[in-house]
Amino acid sequence: MTPLPSSPAEELALLERELIWLDTRRVQLLRRRSWLKAALRAQSAGGWRPPHGGQPPQGAPGGWAQAPAAHPAPAVPSGSATGGPGAQHVLLILGGLLLAVAAIAFTLFSWGELGIAGRSVVLAGVTAGALGAPVLLLRRGLGATAESVGAVALLLTVLDAYALHAAVLPEADGAGYAAFASGVLAAGWAAYGVGVGRLRLPLPAAVVAGQFPLVLGAWAAGGSVLVIGWALLVTAAGSVVVAARVPGLAVRATAWSGAGVTWAGGLLIGLGESVSASGPLDAAAPGVLLLGAAAVALAAAWRAPQEMAVTGGVVAGLAAVAGVGGVLRTEVPWSWAVVVYLVCGAALAPVARIAVVPRPVRGGVLGAAAGVTGVAVLAVLPSAAATLLGPAAVLTGLWAGAPDGTRELAAGAGAWPDALSVPVVLLVAAVLLGAVYASLVHEGREPAGWTGAAGAGAVGLVSAAVPVLLVSADVAYAAALVVDVLLVAGLLAAAVAVRRVPAAAGATALWCAVAVAAHAGLLALAAEPATYAVFGLLLVLFAASAARSREVVARSLTLVLSVVCALVVASAAGASLELGAPRTAVLVLVVPAAVVVLGLWVRTPAVVVPLEAGAGFAALVALGLAVTDGAYFSLVLALCGVLAAATAVRPERRPGAGYLAAGLFATATWVRLVSAGVTHPEAYTLPVSVIACAVGLLRRRTDPEASSWTAYGPGLGVTLGPSLLALWSDPHWQRPLLLGAAALAVTVTGAVRRLQAPLLLGGGTLALVALHELAPHVAQVFDALPRWSVPALAGLLLLALGATYEQRLRDARRLREHLGRMR
């Protein structure tokens, strides 16, 4: 073991030696890597011999794990003097390109100078030489050179075909000759590739050339667009056969690529003709073409790998739906075309039961059915949303009278070409998802994941379809309200039955119940009796669901919604009695009062918290209703303070509710004084403050741990607040003097007795009084100062604060701790 260094100098020397050794070792390993690469290149070139001066192979005496000095730099093998296979490939590619350029130049510029015999000799000689050279090269083991010469040979055959047309057959039709030439080239290249065997390029090139004969032939023959589409499909089918039967990765990859391109071309032609067809007879031929595309895709998917099989199943299903649906949709209006395609997509579902079909293909076909269903739902979603939101127009004319039909309430939702198709699409999609859910459950799947998603989707689509159907079919007003309420009851029952319904479906049912309840509520606002009936029933349903639910989210949401329904009923009662908004606010407070009483009786946090949230919302609504009348606004504030004080009876709510009650009482007093036009509020507030502070003093004596905010905060705030408000409109000097003196006394008392509330309230009041008194003088000073002095003073202040930032931070922390220790 290396002894530990006894000093930093020895440790530094040791590190230097270790670093030198690591550098030397790295050089050794890099040299060894170069030697091994050279050996591998020599071995691939034909036989391996150790390079002169190189190291012996691994495992020999004096192997690569010796000391760094034992590895001299290896020499590069003589066989790799050109730089290895990379340089060889570059030279071969450059040579092939030069030959190709020469052949092109000869064909373009020198061909016309030769006679018929000379041309024949040149064609035969050059082509035969180029095609025969790879055979000789392969026999000598020069595979890369043979590949390059073979590629030049294939290019020469293309040039020969072009030259033959230009010089010998110039009258021949270009498209027809191209079709014939591509077919001959495809057959010739295929035969050449099979004959030679070891060349990799001819067979893929034959597959590429084979993509053109039928298409170009159909074009040359003047065939219609559908004929060209069939030519593309037949070509794709042939490529599929080649990809499935012929071995070789390059050939199969080329065949699959060619099949995909030609199949897509035929499919696009079929889709374009199907969409533009105006009758069943016009759509029949494109439909057959699309079915042929589906058959080709299905045949390709049957023997393809798993991923490609799934894709083939998807595109086959979509092509079949487009073919059949394109014929059927010509017999129905455009608004029902979505239903036709959806039904055709649903017809693909039985494929899942055909065992002879490979599993990936079945999955792809079912994926196509799911895709058609999703697209259909998305297509009608805007119309469904407009239908559901249409009754919101009732808010502009509440209680205008019960209409004859529900469609009248949604007249502002937009145009209705044939609105019944929208709910039909939603219902069919819901049935399909329900069938998928039932099938998966029957197979033993757990009601989670995709299974739960299918169930949740079915619930959501049914919940949307029923209200849309009611409005679209212009159902009678009373019947629509009954159906909506019954649907809400069913959805809430499903949401509560969490043990028998999957979690995803239960959550979806809960939120759908909320949405349908909102739709029913909007419809009910059109008539006074309907408002009481619907919101009363919704109140009962939500309250019953909250009582039976075991889920926190469901229970909390239904409790809040039950309070909201009660709030609507209370507001409607005020409107029926013609009390006006301020008086209705007092009636609305019955709802939070009932909630407070219920909270005192229940005492369960999971129930009390959502109830209190609903009560707080109701109180805010009441305040909003009464804000236009000062007297009623003060009364509502005081009543809210009473409710907050009643809530503070519970120990866990005492701090927050107590402060809120004190603030509400003080605010109610201020509002009442302002609304009464009182210019000297102290005559009313001071006695209350004295009594309140006396009560607080007694409270502190019986409970020394009580906060000063609870004991003295309300009493001080009742007087200081209104006096401050009156101060800013008082031109005399008596009120500022008296209020400042009182605030000073309160501040000193709080500092001496270590009471937080008097200190802060008195200090804040004193600062505002001082600001009020100094404001005119400060304004005069600022008018007298030059304009640049204000930013200069602000900059100096910021610099001073920045220079003493840490000290100021410590002072603020000490002040906060000191205030925190006060009661």
Side-chain angles (χ1 to χ4, degrees), residues 29-57:
L29 293 177
L30 290 174
R31 289 179 176 178
R32 184 65 181 179
R33 186 180 66 173
S34 301
W35 189 88
L36 291 174
K37 286 184 177 180
L40 289 174
R41 286 195 295 268
Q43 184 178 7
S44 63
W48 176 77
R49 293 181 180 179
H52 297 291
Q55 287 294 318

Side-chain angles (χ1 to χ4, degrees), residues 404-408 469-476:
D404 295 332
T406 54
R407 191 163 178 175
E408 180 181 343
L469 180 61
L470 295 176
V471 178
S472 303
D474 199 17
V475 177

Side-chain angles (χ1 to χ4, degrees), residues 130-490:
L131 293 174
V135 179
L136 300 176
L137 293 172
L138 288 173
R139 290 178 181 177
R140 302 193 62 180
L142 301 176
T145 306
E147 291 286 351
S148 300
V149 177
V152 174
L154 298 182
L155 179 61
L156 287 176
T157 57
V158 177
L159 295 175
D160 291 342
Y162 168 75
L164 183 63
H165 176 266
V168 180
L169 301 171
E171 296 84 6
D173 178 64
Y177 180 79
F180 173 77
S182 58
V184 172
L185 289 175
W189 289 349
Y192 179 68
V194 172
V196 177
R198 294 175 58 185
L199 290 180
R200 292 174 290 182
L201 187 59
L203 289 179
V207 174
V208 173
Q211 309 300 314
F212 300 101
L214 289 179
V215 180
L216 294 176
W219 185 16
S224 63
V225 176
L226 289 177
V227 173
I228 296 176
W230 277 110
L232 288 169
L233 283 186
V234 173
T235 303
S239 300
V240 170
V241 173
V242 171
R245 299 285 184 180
V246 179
L249 179 61
V251 176
R252 299 179 69 179
T254 306
W256 281 122
S257 301
V261 173
T262 52
W263 182 88
L267 179 69
L268 291 176
I269 290 175
L271 288 175
E273 294 296 313
S274 178
V275 171
S276 60
S278 58
L281 294 179
D282 294 339
V288 175
L289 178 62
L290 291 171
L291 290 178
V296 172
L298 192 61
W302 207 280
R303 294 180 175 273
Q306 181 174 358
E307 294 78 7
M308 295 183 62
V310 174
T311 304
V314 171
V315 296
L318 294 177
V321 170
V324 178
V327 177
L328 298 179
R329 63 93 189 160
T330 57
E331 294 294 326
V332 298
W334 268 109
S335 57
W336 285 90
V338 179
V339 180
V340 171
Y341 285 109
L342 178 59
V343 173
C344 294
L348 298 175
V351 177
R353 299 295 182 182
I354 303 177
V356 71
V357 181
R359 187 180 183 88
V361 179
R362 281 183 285 164
V365 174
L366 290 179
V372 172
T373 304
V375 171
V377 172
L378 290 177
V380 302
L381 199 59
S383 297
T387 306
L388 290 173
L389 297 176
V394 176
L395 297 176
T396 59
L398 297 176
W399 293 358
D404 295 332
T406 54
R407 191 163 178 175
E408 180 181 343
L409 297 177
W416 302 88
D418 194 347
L420 284 177
S421 62
V422 176
V424 169
V425 170
L426 297 177
L427 288 174
V428 172
V431 171
L432 292 177
L433 287 178
V436 171
Y437 173 77
S439 175
L440 293 176
V441 172
H442 181 71
E443 293 176 1
R445 301 282 187 89
E446 292 293 330
W450 289 109
T451 307
V459 172
L461 289 175
V462 169
S463 304
V466 172
V468 172
L469 180 61
L470 295 176
V471 178
S472 303
D474 199 17
V475 177
Y477 180 69
L481 291 178
V482 171
V483 173
D484 270 350
V485 173
L486 290 177
L487 180 59
V488 173

Side-chain angles (χ1 to χ4, degrees), residues 423-759:
V424 169
V425 170
L426 297 177
L427 288 174
V428 172
V431 171
L432 292 177
L433 287 178
V436 171
Y437 173 77
S439 175
L440 293 176
V441 172
H442 181 71
E443 293 176 1
R445 301 282 187 89
E446 292 293 330
W450 289 109
T451 307
V459 172
L461 289 175
V462 169
S463 304
V466 172
V468 172
L469 180 61
L470 295 176
V471 178
S472 303
D474 199 17
V475 177
Y477 180 69
L481 291 178
V482 171
V483 173
D484 270 350
V485 173
L486 290 177
L487 180 59
V488 173
L491 291 172
L492 289 176
V496 171
V498 292
R499 296 182 179 180
R500 296 181 296 275
V501 177
T508 305
L510 175 64
W511 290 104
C512 288
V514 176
V516 177
H519 183 265
L522 290 175
L523 291 177
L525 292 176
E528 183 177 358
T531 301
Y532 288 108
V534 169
F535 281 98
L537 290 174
L538 291 177
L539 170 60
V540 174
L541 290 176
F542 285 128
S545 300
R548 294 187 56 190
S549 178
R550 296 294 180 267
E551 294 291 331
V552 176
V553 175
R555 182 170 55 242
S556 301
L557 182 61
T558 50
L559 283 172
V560 172
L561 290 175
S562 61
V563 174
V564 172
C565 292
L567 177 63
V568 174
V569 172
S571 302
S576 298
L577 297 174
E578 298 181 356
L579 299 179
R583 295 183 179 181
T584 303
V586 180
L587 185 60
V588 166
L589 286 180
V590 174
V591 176
V595 171
V596 170
V597 174
L598 185 61
L600 294 175
W601 176 56
V602 176
R603 299 257 179 150
T604 303
V607 177
V608 171
V609 171
L611 283 176
E612 289 178 346
F617 176 74
L620 291 176
V621 172
L623 291 173
L625 292 173
V627 72
T628 57
D629 190 310
Y632 277 98
F633 188 50
S634 173
L635 176 60
V636 171
L637 285 171
L639 293 176
C640 290
V642 172
L643 296 178
T647 305
V649 172
R650 301 204 309 273
E652 68 276 8
R653 292 289 184 268
R654 185 164 299 162
Y659 295 147
L660 179 61
L664 289 172
F665 284 136
T667 307
T669 304
W670 301 342
V671 170
R672 182 58 182 168
L673 293 175
V674 172
S675 63
V678 175
T679 58
H680 296 83
E682 293 82 3
Y684 301 90
T685 61
L686 193 56
V688 177
S689 294
V690 172
I691 296 173
C693 290
V695 173
L697 181 61
L698 294 176
R699 168 71 185 278
R700 290 275 297 173
R701 288 184 177 180
T702 56
D703 184 12
E705 297 298 325
S707 171
S708 61
W709 288 99
T710 305
Y712 305 115
L716 294 175
V718 166
T719 295
L720 294 179
S723 297
L724 276 175
L725 292 176
L727 174 68
W728 293 96
S729 59
D730 190 352
H732 304 290
W733 58 270
Q734 291 87 354
R735 176 176 277 114
L737 178 61
L738 295 175
L739 182 59
L744 179 61
V746 171
T747 304
V748 172
T749 303
V752 172
R753 303 297 297 273
R754 301 178 61 83
L755 297 175
Q756 191 179 105
L759 178 63

